[in-house]
Amino acid sequence: MENEIAITDVKDASRYEARDSEGNLMGFVDYKLSGDVIAFRHAETLPEYRGRGVAGRIATKSLDDARDAGLRVKPSCPYYQDFLKEHTEYADLVVAPQ
């Protein structure tokens, strides 16, 4: 199905990946896990998949996983900074700037 997007935490690569039903990489976010803080460093959607909500799906899955794991979030990448401003339901996860 064309709209199927699978979001997976590829722990060995320290990134979340979005793949379509055929296994094609659609987008990803790189992260760094330090103790109980996960820093989302770089999010990217491949050009041919832009405008389909891929980045938002990755962000939602990664933030839900962070919450489930009891992690705090450091949004180092501009996409996550903007996403978190719009999606205040995740505000409690964000590490205060130092």
Side-chain angles (χ1 to χ4, degrees), residues 38-77:
I38 187 167
F40 293 106
R41 301 165 67 156
H42 174 74
E44 187 172 329
T45 301
L46 278 64
E48 60 269 29
Y49 297 106
R50 290 186 183 148
R52 298 186 192 184
V54 173
R57 296 273 304 272
I58 295 171
T60 299
K61 170 71 170 146
S62 61
L63 292 167
D64 287 345
D65 284 358
R67 173 166 292 163
D68 291 345
L71 299 174
R72 306 287 290 153
V73 170
K74 182 177 179 184
S76 300
C77 116

Side-chain angles (χ1 to χ4, degrees), residues 94-98:
V94 179
V95 173
Q98 297 181 17

Side-chain angles (χ1 to χ4, degrees), residues 14-30:
S14 296
R15 74 184 201 168
Y16 278 83
E17 294 181 347
R19 294 191 178 268
D20 66 15
S21 60
E22 296 177 3
N24 298 309
L25 183 66
M26 301 174 78
F28 61 89
V29 63
D30 292 320

